[in-house]
Amino acid sequence: MYHRLNLLSGWTISRALTLSFVVGFPLVLSGCPRNETPSPRVSMSNSRGTNSPPPIPVGFNGERAMDHVRKQIEIGPHPPDTAELARTRAYIINELKSYGLLVHTDDFTATTPQGEKKMANIIAEVPGESKDVIVVASHYDTKYFKDMRFVGANDPASSVATLLEIGRVLGSAREKPKVTYKLVFFDGEEAFCENWDDCGSEGAPDNTYGSRRYVAQLKAKNEGNSTRALILLDMMGYTNLELGRDTMSTRWLQDIIWQTGRDLGYSEIFTDRPEGVGGDDHEPFLRAGIDSVDLIQLNGYPYWHKANDTVDKISPQSMRIVGETVLASLPKIAERVAK
Ligand SMILES: [Zn+2]
């Protein structure tokens, strides 16, 4: 109950804030009805009695995701251990809490080529019937560039935005999912040096600081066995979205997502072109024996790590396609991994 009450009050406040921002009228908190176009594909089931209020279907809203992208860009470049990343983190946490999710951070210090850096992973939880966990993740730091103002509209703002919207939909579900979902926002995915292999050494790579920390903590807390799958989102917003198959990813997991995307009508997005991605946040999970898939558009995105990775490259539609596909895939993955 706490879960749902919290969600409703959080929704009312955040929606009123959004409305007052967009329309420009003063903030008035009211119980106005939900004014959204529900997605028929991921709407929640109707199992209420006749005396209950009608069900409120919540679907992935691409425009809300666009707002999250703009907000991150407004904050400015946010590499690890900066005031801007702290602001980004506060924004993400605030949003997740407003969806009724349980949120905490894991603060740690990483040794980097630029010295000791304070970092924090953000973890939001949707408790399920079983303790088996499916992690859906994105990094939220932008890459540090000495001489370039890099805002990272696609990398990582669009995947953060997509993950936030996924969180809002999961937080609104009336029934407990079969397994527990964790939405994780990794700090320190990007290398401090220009290229990710410039400064790394064996056993101490210069990237994936947050995901390596997360997996180390799983091992330290003996939770490695209950974490059954990782779905990693990275650069989900390009107007010309097209996803190849990352060759490192776990095939059965990738197959479920690809087939689900095609069943939803997105065959042109989920292609069989091989996508080679080394050094992303799924690597530490794979090394720990956790089945993982990376959804990434790297080779087909010409603005990657460029100053013009800007909001005009991002489309609400692209984030919605990924969001709907992941949301529709989760119960199928849960079915497969639940003990
Ligand atoms: Zn990047």
Side-chain angles (χ1 to χ4, degrees):
M1 278 316 285
Y2 169 78
H3 184 71
R4 205 182 313 146
L5 283 172
N6 197 14
L7 161 79
L8 286 172
S9 58
W11 173 82
T12 307
I13 292 163
S14 69
R15 188 70 192 169
L17 282 169
T18 307
L19 279 172
S20 71
F21 177 74
V22 172
V23 186
F25 59 75
L27 172 64
V28 179
L29 292 179
S30 70
C32 57
R34 203 172 278 242
N35 174 23
E36 284 167 358
T37 314
S39 160
R41 299 191 183 100
V42 289
S43 61
M44 301 303 146
S45 64
N46 177 5
S47 57
R48 291 168 183 236
T50 47
N51 291 333
S52 306
I56 306 168
V58 171
F60 190 101
N61 185 321
E63 291 303 331
R64 288 188 72 124
M66 273 314 277
D67 284 345
H68 296 317
V69 172
R70 287 188 204 102
K71 188 73 191 184
Q72 291 170 80
I73 292 172
E74 270 168 41
I75 291 170
H78 39 274
D81 207 351
T82 59
E84 289 76 15
L85 192 63
R87 284 181 60 198
T88 310
R89 182 157 55 242
Y91 176 76
I92 292 169
I93 291 170
N94 214 32
E95 285 296 314
L96 293 167
K97 285 185 174 169
S98 79
Y99 310 149
L101 304 176
L102 307 166
V103 188
H104 72 276
T105 61
D106 175 31
D107 298 34
F108 60 102
T109 302
T111 304
T112 79
Q114 292 182 8
E116 302 275 289
K117 295 281 183 186
K118 290 200 174 98
M119 299 190 188
N121 292 331
I122 306 163
I123 300 121
E125 189 173 330
V126 184
E129 282 168 16
S130 92
K131 296 239 176 291
D132 291 315
V133 173
I134 298 175
V135 175
V136 191
S138 163
H139 75 93
Y140 71 101
D141 59 308
T142 58
K143 182 166 170 58
Y144 165 81
F145 286 98
K146 197 161 164 245
D147 302 313
M148 179 171 84
R149 181 180 159 79
F150 178 72
V151 296
N154 202 21
D155 180 17
S158 70
S159 53
V160 168
T162 304
L163 191 52
L164 282 174
E165 258 305 272
I166 287 172
R168 191 175 67 89
V169 176
L170 292 176
S172 74
R174 294 185 60 248
E175 280 155 30
K176 260 193 174 184
K178 199 175 178 88
V179 303
T180 296
Y181 297 130
K182 286 191 181 174
L183 311 181
V184 182
F185 299 76
F186 296 123
D187 202 338
E189 186 271 341
E190 299 285 7
F192 287 85
C193 295
E194 185 83 22
N195 300 301
W196 67 268
D197 51 357
D198 282 354
C199 302
S201 59
E202 186 73 31
D206 172 31
N207 69 346
T208 62
Y209 294 95
S211 52
R212 285 186 287 121
R213 161 75 183 190
Y214 188 87
V215 170
Q217 287 296 99
L218 284 183
K219 286 180 187 162
K221 293 180 184 167
N222 231 349
E223 291 175 3
N225 288 341
S226 59
T227 302
R228 309 299 305 281
L230 165 74
I231 302 168
L232 180 63
L233 310 180
D234 199 349
M235 299 196 274
M236 304 283 80
Y238 187 28
T239 46
N240 300 322
L241 181 70
E242 187 257 13
L243 300 171
R245 287 176 179 263
D246 164 50
T247 51
M248 283 180 73
S249 293
T250 306
R251 188 67 191 208
W252 71 262
L253 195 50
Q254 192 179 54
D255 280 346
I256 288 180
I257 295 173
W258 257 242
Q259 190 54 50
T260 302
R262 288 167 180 180
D263 291 347
L264 291 175
Y266 306 134
S267 301
E268 285 167 16
I269 308 289
F270 292 90
T271 74
D272 287 326
R273 171 182 65 77
E275 176 78 82
V277 186
D280 210 347
D281 282 323
H282 60 323
E283 267 200 47
F285 286 75
L286 286 167
R287 272 201 301 273
I290 298 168
D291 291 340
S292 305
V293 60
D294 193 9
L295 274 64
I296 184 166
Q297 180 170 19
L298 182 59
N299 296 325
Y301 187 62
Y303 314 101
W304 177 65
H305 288 181
K306 300 230 164 74
N308 54 2
D309 180 7
T310 42
V311 73
D312 51 301
K313 315 302 184 308
I314 307 301
S315 119
Q317 187 83 351
S318 299
M319 292 185 283
R320 186 174 59 76
I321 288 169
V322 172
E324 285 182 353
T325 302
V326 170
L327 283 162
S329 300
L330 283 176
K332 299 176 196 170
I333 298 166
E335 198 66 45
R336 166 112 180 206
V337 302
K339 278 174 184 158

